[in-house]
Amino acid sequence: MKQKFHPDRAWNRRRALSALAGPVLALALASPAPAQNKLTLGVSIPSATHSFQGAIVFWANKAKKDLEQAHPGLQVVIKTASGGPEQANQLQDMLTANKIGALVIFPFESAALTKPVAQVKAKGVYVLVVDRGLTDPSAQDAYLSYDNTAFGKIPAEFMVKTLGGKGQVVALRGIATTLDNERMDGFNAVLKNNPEIKLLDAKYANWNRDDAFKVMQDYLTRFAHIDAVWAADDDMAVGVLKAIEQAKRKDIKLVFGGGGSKGMIKALMDGSNPVIQANVSFSPKFIYEAIKLTAEARLKGDKLPARTILPVVQITKENAKDFYFPDSPY
């Protein structure tokens, strides 16, 4: 990342986070316990395999720097994993070698990480799960995420309106997680009420540009006519657009990604690609807030609410300037 990033400016200006401020301030801490002078907090996140995850890693490291400076008795241990098995092994390392007292985890996938996280919690470690939920909520103390149902619902409603309630669409899912299921359920719920919008197929593309390119190539080969594409992440949308351009297909009227990446927002502002007409917010800074809230709560001996869901916002040409940050890593 060669460009200088101005996180405070980017964060304060983002309109979506005016909505975020309420829920964060409303995180009323409960069940007080004796305050701690020292705490080792483990942070387990996926590796920076694409730009969104790169921003997650950036914000996690910024949280470590800021919080350790603010709280001399706090140590934040960050580990990144390229897959579920590696992440599970790292959890055991943090438990035995680092002797963590609290854990903030962004699971690589849901099912494979549920038991390893439950084992950490059983050792007395306080666990906050962010973004991708576990298959068994009893394995965690608290959960924080954006509204993933709305993240799927907003694109579907926009497609219905853009296509006049009739057309053929395809979808690209992320990784098999509760988060992905919530997004897909939100998308399908809208289509269920609009039966003339036909979903031709929905395949996993792992929130990855190259995988999305291959999935979209398959769709373009199999389906002679596609009106719109929902790629449930802006990185996947980049792969989709590349496949469409390479195939020289002119039938596709809309490609809707998600996450508010600077490339997609710039395209919205410029009107440089007519198939990019809307997006939905999902700031990676939520990992910073999750680490901060957990650290400060546990240092006081407090707990967070069991479940906190943050709102998402539809982005169009009209409000795109409020979400465009060219120096951002995402």
Side-chain angles (χ1 to χ4, degrees):
M1 302 172 188
K2 297 180 179 180
Q3 292 177 308
K4 185 177 180 182
F5 184 33
H6 304 285
D8 293 332
R9 177 176 64 84
W11 180 247
N12 290 331
R13 287 180 55 206
R14 188 178 291 269
R15 179 177 295 178
L17 301 181
S18 64
L20 169 60
V24 169
L25 292 175
L27 286 172
L29 303 177
S31 304
Q36 305 175 47
N37 293 322
K38 295 184 178 181
L39 173 68
T40 300
L41 170 65
V43 177
S44 177
I45 53 180
S47 302
T49 54
H50 56 280
S51 58
F52 183 85
Q53 287 302 148
I56 290 287
V57 173
F58 170 89
W59 282 112
N61 281 291
K62 178 161 175 46
K64 172 181 170 67
K65 179 181 178 181
D66 292 351
L67 293 169
E68 287 182 345
Q69 184 176 2
H71 304 282
L74 176 67
Q75 180 185 8
V76 179
V77 178
I78 300 175
K79 291 186 180 291
T80 62
S82 58
E86 182 183 10
Q87 191 172 32
N89 290 336
Q90 289 175 350
L91 292 181
Q92 288 302 312
D93 288 342
M94 284 194 283
L95 187 63
T96 58
N98 302 112
K99 301 188 185 307
I100 59 173
L103 171 69
V104 174
I105 180 169
F106 185 140
F108 195 90
E109 51 189 324
S110 297
L113 270 300
T114 298
K115 184 176 179 180
V117 173
Q119 291 172 340
V120 171
K121 182 174 181 287
K123 296 294 185 180
V125 176
Y126 183 84
V127 177
L128 172 68
V129 173
V130 295
D131 198 51
R132 304 174 191 175
L134 303 175
T135 55
D136 180 4
S138 70
Q140 67 201 24
D141 291 286
Y143 174 75
L144 184 148
S145 180
Y146 281 98
D147 187 343
N148 284 295
T149 300
F151 192 95
K153 181 181 178 183
I154 288 171
E157 291 176 338
F158 192 89
M159 284 185 177
V160 170
K161 182 178 179 180
T162 301
L163 299 179
K166 185 176 182 179
Q168 299 187 132
V169 304
V170 295
L172 288 84
R173 306 181 63 169
I175 293 174
T177 56
T178 57
L179 172 158
D180 182 80
N181 291 338
E182 290 168 2
R183 291 179 178 183
M184 197 70 220
D185 288 346
F187 188 82
N188 283 331
V190 174
L191 297 195
K192 184 177 179 180
N193 294 324
N194 295 274
E196 291 192 80
I197 300 288
K198 183 179 179 182
L199 179 61
L200 300 174
D201 203 351
K203 289 186 176 297
Y204 292 105
N206 306 312
W207 291 307
N208 180 277
R209 296 183 183 190
D210 293 336
D211 292 348
F213 176 76
K214 293 173 185 176
V215 170
M216 193 63 204
Q217 279 187 317
D218 173 64
Y219 286 163
L220 294 169
T221 301
R222 290 165 51 208
F223 305 119
H225 183 86
I226 299 170
D227 291 295
V229 183
W230 176 47
D233 171 88
D234 279 345
D235 279 299
M236 291 194 297
V238 171
V240 166
L241 291 167
K242 182 179 178 182
I244 293 171
E245 180 183 8
Q246 183 173 295
K248 295 181 171 54
R249 287 281 289 265
K250 304 298 183 183
D251 50 315
I252 298 166
K253 305 176 183 70
L254 173 67
V255 173
F256 199 121
S261 70
K262 61 185 179 183
M264 289 297 172
I265 301 305
K266 185 66 162 57
L268 269 178
M269 292 170 61
D270 297 345
S272 56
N273 190 332
V275 303
I276 300 174
Q277 301 174 30
N279 205 282
V280 60
S281 65
F282 200 100
S283 171
K285 202 205 172 189
F286 75 95
I287 193 68
Y288 182 105
E289 301 298 337
I291 296 168
K292 182 175 186 290
L293 289 167
T294 304
E296 294 181 347
R298 298 313 292 161
L299 285 169
K300 295 176 183 177
D302 291 334
K303 295 181 179 180
L304 299 173
R307 187 173 176 84
T308 301
I309 304 300
L310 309 175
V312 298
V313 177
Q314 179 171 290
I315 307 170
T316 60
K317 184 178 179 63
E318 286 67 34
N319 65 343
K321 66 181 184 301
D322 298 318
F323 297 85
Y324 181 56
F325 310 105
D327 297 334
S328 170
Y330 177 70

